[in-house]
Amino acid sequence: MKEKISKIKQNALEEISNIQENLKGAELENALKTLNEIKVKYLGKKGELTSVLRGMGALAPEERPVIGSLVNEVREEIENSLKEKEEKLKEAELQEKLEKETIDITLPGTKIKRGSKHPVNRVIEEIEDLFVSMGYDVIPGPELETDEFCFERLNLPKGHPARDMQDSFYITNEYLLRTQTSAVQARAMLANKEKTPIRMICAGKTYRREDDATHSHQFGQVEGLVIDKKERNVSLADLKGTLEVFVKKLIGKNCELRFRPSYFPFTEPSYEVDVSCFKCGGKGCNLCKHTGWIEVLGSGIVHPNVLKMNGYDPNEYGGFAFGTGLERLAMFKYGIPDMRYLYANDVRFLNQFDRKDEE
Ligand code: DAH
């Protein structure tokens, strides 16, 4: 019996050690399979060693524990040997996998197409950052406005001739799509019950019933309003300084500004601001209608009636306001010669602006 057991041990260990270790691919797979077969052959339920245990019944009782412990010893040895070999083979397997999966870092990457921000939105964000840095609040306002806020509270009563300049989309007699962001001036004043100083801008969409080469029925504006106590003397000089910083920071310090007296019902005095044409540099071309200038802004000192109508005593408070078109500013900033490019949704056009902002 003992001889049989030692023969089994010898055979098993020999078979195991016959399996080569530094194999690859199919050979490696086969070796792992063979290893498993050896396990079944010797240690499995019907394996050789197990069958020795089964035959123990025929032995003398005093021999049984001796043979039993010998079988266990051999089983352990075979198991250890199997385990050792399996580890070596698994290591070879891992090595092969690592070699196969090395990455060629010199290969070009796969490009993911990225969208990019619309130039008008870029301009809005830049303007907001700029005014926040000067202590202004950025406030929202509704696009569906009432006649009261869009016109009446801005000193434009029903039947006022200046209403004709802003042909509107009325939804009902009272509601319309706002024609100007100026409507938020009245909202900001009424909301400020404590009458603390107001420094705000509001950018957003506006709508008018016009559609031609230089006008679109929907366009963007940004409004600005500063109100403070009279003794703080918010003056035309402050307005001029603010607008110079604003336009030059946004468009470039080489452009020139021209302040021209004008009329708006909600400011007195009122100014329009022209900027030297970006296309011809002021020499005169078809874009600036051969004047060298393009109008970009309306502004002025807030009209006493507007203060009164929105809860402020004009003897105690004063300030300035301005409003400008976002498309014009985007055209200036990026040198876009035709406003319609902004609405054509052509990715060849829209994709250029990440690069332009880096320049
Ligand atoms: N709301 C005016 C427009 O759409 C622009 C404007 C002019 C705004 C003068 C102002 C201002 O705040 O003071 O034509």
Side-chain angles (χ1 to χ4, degrees):
M1 188 63 116
K2 279 185 191 161
E3 243 171 66
K4 192 174 173 194
I5 294 171
S6 92
K7 190 83 197 148
I8 289 174
K9 171 177 150 185
Q10 205 185 329
N11 287 347
L13 294 182
E14 204 177 296
E15 277 180 45
I16 294 169
S17 78
N18 278 346
I19 298 179
Q20 280 182 16
E21 285 165 10
N22 45 2
L23 300 170
K24 276 200 174 131
E27 283 184 343
L28 182 57
E29 250 174 64
N30 280 338
L32 279 162
K33 228 188 263 164
T34 313
L35 199 65
N36 199 40
E37 281 162 12
I38 295 172
K39 191 173 178 179
V40 175
K41 179 172 166 197
Y42 292 99
L43 310 180
K45 266 191 198 151
K46 291 178 187 160
E48 291 187 21
L49 207 57
T50 324
S51 65
V52 172
L53 286 177
R54 282 215 192 89
M56 293 245 281
L59 294 177
E62 62 275 18
E63 268 192 280
R64 284 181 202 160
V66 183
I67 296 299
S69 74
L70 184 64
V71 168
N72 281 341
E73 242 171 63
V74 169
R75 167 181 281 275
E76 214 174 291
E77 263 184 83
I78 296 174
E79 268 172 359
N80 285 343
S81 172
L82 279 167
K83 210 162 133 201
E84 215 175 282
K85 183 64 79 181
E86 191 183 343
E87 272 166 19
K88 293 243 166 76
L89 292 176
K90 289 265 167 182
E91 204 173 293
E93 204 178 32
L94 179 68
Q95 205 54 41
E96 190 186 12
K97 210 170 161 198
L98 285 177
E99 275 165 30
K100 244 197 235 158
E101 288 179 4
T102 48
I103 297 164
D104 181 355
I105 54 163
T106 62
L107 281 175
T110 34
K111 276 201 181 146
I112 298 169
K113 275 201 179 160
R114 270 204 313 169
S116 61
K117 268 186 213 151
H118 193 277
V120 170
N121 285 330
R122 286 170 194 267
V123 165
I124 291 177
E125 283 177 17
E126 198 172 326
I127 294 173
E128 288 179 348
D129 281 351
L130 180 61
F131 277 98
V132 164
S133 79
M134 296 199 282
Y136 283 64
D137 294 323
V138 174
I139 65 164
E143 286 173 35
L144 183 62
E145 233 339 330
T146 57
D147 185 272
E148 179 192 346
F149 279 93
C150 200
F151 297 125
E152 289 197 35
R153 285 182 177 277
L154 295 173
N155 205 24
L156 269 149
K158 289 202 169 75
H160 193 290
R163 283 196 180 206
D164 293 348
M165 292 193 293
Q166 303 186 3
D167 207 353
S168 321
F169 289 112
Y170 273 88
I171 308 295
T172 65
N173 278 342
E174 190 48 30
Y175 283 95
L176 72 158
L177 295 177
R178 69 177 174 198
T179 54
Q180 50 184 355
T181 46
S182 303
V184 292
Q185 288 190 21
R187 292 192 173 273
M189 283 189 251
L190 283 174
N192 188 21
K193 296 264 183 296
E194 287 82 30
K195 305 282 179 284
T196 48
I198 294 177
R199 269 192 228 101
M200 72 81 176
I201 59 158
C202 169
K205 291 185 181 122
T206 43
Y207 305 82
R208 290 186 198 176
R209 276 188 56 189
E210 48 194 18
D211 242 335
D212 59 44
T214 52
H215 294 93
S216 153
H217 60 276
Q218 184 235 291
F219 53 101
Q221 283 194 340
V222 58
E223 193 76 17
L225 178 70
V226 172
I227 305 273
D228 209 334
K229 288 246 186 209
K230 264 268 152 72
E231 63 257 30
R232 302 254 299 169
N233 262 334
V234 180
S235 69
L236 266 185
D238 298 314
L239 170 62
K240 198 169 174 222
T242 305
L243 295 179
E244 291 242 358
V245 169
F246 163 35
V247 173
K248 293 203 167 186
K249 277 259 184 209
L250 186 74
I251 295 175
K253 52 183 182 303
N254 294 330
C255 68
E256 286 199 52
L257 270 68
R258 182 171 79 169
F259 289 74
R260 199 160 33 78
S262 181
Y263 170 78
F264 295 102
F266 25 91
T267 43
E268 183 60 36
S270 302
Y271 291 89
E272 276 179 299
V273 181
D274 303 331
V275 178
S276 52
C277 177
F278 64 89
K279 197 174 165 198
C280 62
K283 285 194 205 85
C285 67
N286 56 348
L287 190 69
C288 59
K289 302 195 186 94
H290 303 281
T291 63
W293 299 97
I294 296 179
E295 181 220 317
V296 291
L297 254 147
S299 65
I301 296 296
V302 180
H303 197 291
N305 286 354
V306 174
L307 289 167
K308 232 184 286 174
M309 270 188 278
N310 297 296
Y312 282 76
D313 179 351
N315 296 315
E316 267 190 73
Y317 293 91
F320 64 71
F322 57 88
T324 172
L326 291 167
E327 287 78 4
R328 289 255 165 107
L329 294 178
M331 287 168 75
F332 266 96
K333 183 172 174 62
Y334 297 112
I336 302 164
D338 189 326
M339 191 177 71
R340 284 166 291 188
Y341 286 137
L342 292 169
Y343 304 118
N345 248 348
D346 184 338
V347 285
R348 290 170 306 178
F349 168 76
L350 294 170
N351 271 342
Q352 300 171 40
F353 295 94
D354 283 332
R355 202 180 59 235
K356 287 208 169 171
D357 269 353
E358 273 165 25
E359 278 167 9

